[in-house]
Amino acid sequence: MGNQKVVIIGVSVVVLVAVIGTVAVTLSSSHSSAAQPTEEKTLSTSQKNIQEFCSPTDYRQTCEDALHSVTGNDTDPKQLMGAIFNITIDNIKKAFDHSSVLSEAAKDPRTSEALENCRELLDYAIEDLRTSVSKIDDLSFGKVGTFIDDLKIWLSATITYQTTCLDGFENTTTDAGESMRKALNSSKELTSNILAIITKVGDTVSEFNLGLSRKLLSDEYPSWFSPSKRRLLQLSLSELKPNIVVAQDGSGDVQTINEALLHAPKKSQDTFIIYIKEGVYKEKIQVNRSNSHVMMIGDGPDKTKITGNLNYVDGIGTFRTATLGVVGDDFIGKDLWIENSAGPAKHQAVAMRSQSDRTVFYNVRFDGYQDTLYAHANRQFYRDCNISGTIDFIFGDSASIFQNCLIIVRKPLDNQRNIVTAQGRDDKRGASAIILHNCTITADPEYYPFRAKLPTYLGRPWKIYSRTIVMQSQLDDLIHPDGWLPWNGDYGLNTLFYTEIDNRGPGADKSKRVAWKGVKKVDYGHASKYTVENFIKGNKWLPQTGVPFFPGMLPQTQADRIH
């Protein structure tokens, strides 16, 4: 990985540093009255600075020990922020190297795959941390709030990648999982600490109202959007002028989607448009991280079908079963049908996995059974999509909003129950949630007669801080009166955040819902935190794509009655 230039954070970081300094001063004032005079005398200035810097974190000792090991007497907030990023990167790199060592000795196929996944995921984590620091160099006063929003998303993704690495060792027969857990322990704590510090900075920005006008910022084009990308989804196919055409019958430039991706430029800011003509494409596809700003457009969600059948029962880990995997940022998909055809008996079988930041899917159909749609990490927006499945079929740890989507529950195996969502937030400050807004949850015709015997639940807590919001949606009578299902005993029931507001239909009756501490009643004001304009800051980036969306809550009496 080489030496990182992470500790050098340019002059343009002054604004952020000033905020961090304000946090440190505030914390110092709040702690000084409680400190004993003898303690004040024995602590050096650098020790006190480090303590104050680390005070918002959950793993304070890890934070303080790490900073003491690399800093001298110069411990101003800028230097400490650079150091903690650099230390975290180094720790993840050590875990990355450890996975390589373990891989050489691994003989179990599932363990080998899990270690391979770890190397990929930890590489993503390192790159996100580097990106976070590099963006600081471009920071100006008017963009502090926007940068903090971005940073919280990227840090949450970094935590997600480390967690996903460890999840891959479930049901393996070796001790490699425990070895990797130990290797990642400090880096997970350090990443969580950075997120805690940045969250505190964000709170301070809001508290002191440092001249940030979100209304003005919402009309700006972000730096990652080129003029050619604006409002693409409002153009006709002829106006779009695809860069490459895929057609099985030979009428296009290439016959497979993977061939088309070979022509996509690396790290380009210009949208690369792939038009996929009507047909059934039996391919496993990944849009790599280097392929940003890729757009795939088909002939419609009942005509352009991308299908596969990789699954857990046949020996493939969940992460690798996706028919379509999207990693490169700013991906747009429109008028497509993405399927995993493995069936309910094959258990985990993903149709689509996305960790692309600022993903947009518009008028796309996702079909599968268990684990259909893996909304893995970062910001994602789904509009007018159809999603079918059985168990945990919308899952992941992204900040994802599903708007005006038709969610179709299929018939599971006779010993199974259906769960629509399984949200995977693993840190209480994580910037992720699954949000269903003005969607419809209904039964597939084959499942309809069995909906009482094999009930459906809105969600269950995959991770301890699972967060799911269902609002202004149509819930048909397949929803069990409990609403939500435990994962395992009382795991997460006190720490999750689940809420329903202003839903409609026979399944929306909340009178018999479970009474867990984490199931909350919220008003419109609270619910508005989970809208497009507030939760994923969609007003800043969705208008440029041209996807239709409503930014806030719909009026209570005027919610769309779609589908």
Side-chain angles (χ1 to χ4, degrees), residues 91-92 94-96 98-99 102 162 166 177-188:
N91 273 264
I92 297 177
K94 289 175 183 176
F96 178 98
H98 185 63
S99 69
L102 291 175
Q162 295 174 73
L166 297 177
E178 183 58 29
S179 183
M180 281 302 300
R181 191 174 302 279
K182 291 178 181 178
L184 279 169
N185 184 60
S186 61
S187 65
K188 285 196 72 178

Side-chain angles (χ1 to χ4, degrees), residues 419-431:
I419 308 100
V420 176
T421 68
Q423 207 279 330
R425 192 167 66 137
D426 203 26
D427 189 290
K428 64 185 177 184
R429 299 179 185 86

Side-chain angles (χ1 to χ4, degrees), residues 381-392:
F381 182 68
Y382 299 79
R383 172 76 183 208
D384 298 347
C385 293
N386 287 9
I387 308 153
S388 74
T390 54
I391 298 172
D392 306 334

Side-chain angles (χ1 to χ4, degrees), residues 12-194:
S12 56
V13 79
V14 168
V15 176
L16 184 60
V17 170
V19 178
I20 297 171
T22 303
V23 174
V25 170
T26 303
L27 293 168
S28 178
S29 300
S30 65
H31 293 321
S32 60
S33 60
Q36 298 297 322
T38 55
E39 293 176 330
E40 290 291 330
K41 292 178 181 178
T42 57
L43 289 176
S44 67
T45 300
S46 63
Q47 287 175 314
K48 286 189 289 185
N49 286 349
I50 288 173
Q51 285 184 353
E52 289 157 5
F53 184 84
C54 293
S55 61
T57 68
D58 291 336
Y59 307 101
R60 291 182 61 176
Q61 197 62 51
T62 300
C63 180
E64 292 176 15
D65 289 348
L67 290 173
H68 279 304
S69 70
V70 298
T71 57
N73 293 326
D74 183 13
T75 52
D76 63 84
K78 179 178 73 172
Q79 195 254 359
L80 292 175
M81 182 59 77
I84 199 166
F85 266 99
N86 198 39
I87 294 164
T88 305
I89 288 172
D90 284 344
N91 273 264
I92 297 177
K93 181 182 179 297
K94 289 175 183 176
F96 178 98
D97 293 339
H98 185 63
S99 69
S100 298
V101 172
L102 291 175
S103 182
E104 293 175 4
K107 296 180 180 179
D108 172 57
R110 286 198 185 275
T111 300
S112 295
E113 182 186 296
L115 290 166
E116 180 183 345
N117 292 346
C118 279
R119 289 195 297 277
E120 180 178 335
L121 289 158
L122 297 181
D123 196 37
Y124 295 149
I126 291 168
E127 188 168 345
D128 274 356
L129 289 172
R130 287 173 171 167
T131 298
S132 299
V133 175
S134 69
K135 294 293 184 182
I136 294 176
D137 289 333
D138 300 325
L139 186 63
S140 63
F141 181 77
K143 294 181 179 179
V144 172
T146 301
F147 173 72
I148 289 172
D149 292 336
D150 289 341
L151 197 57
K152 288 166 69 175
I153 288 289
W154 299 330
L155 288 168
S156 297
T158 299
I159 293 171
T160 300
Y161 298 146
Q162 295 174 73
T163 301
T164 305
C165 162
L166 297 177
D167 285 345
F169 295 98
E170 291 181 1
N171 301 318
T172 57
T173 58
T174 69
D175 60 359
E178 183 58 29
S179 183
M180 281 302 300
R181 191 174 302 279
K182 291 178 181 178
L184 279 169
N185 184 60
S186 61
S187 65
K188 285 196 72 178
E189 291 183 357
L190 285 164
T191 313
S192 177
N193 285 344
I194 299 175

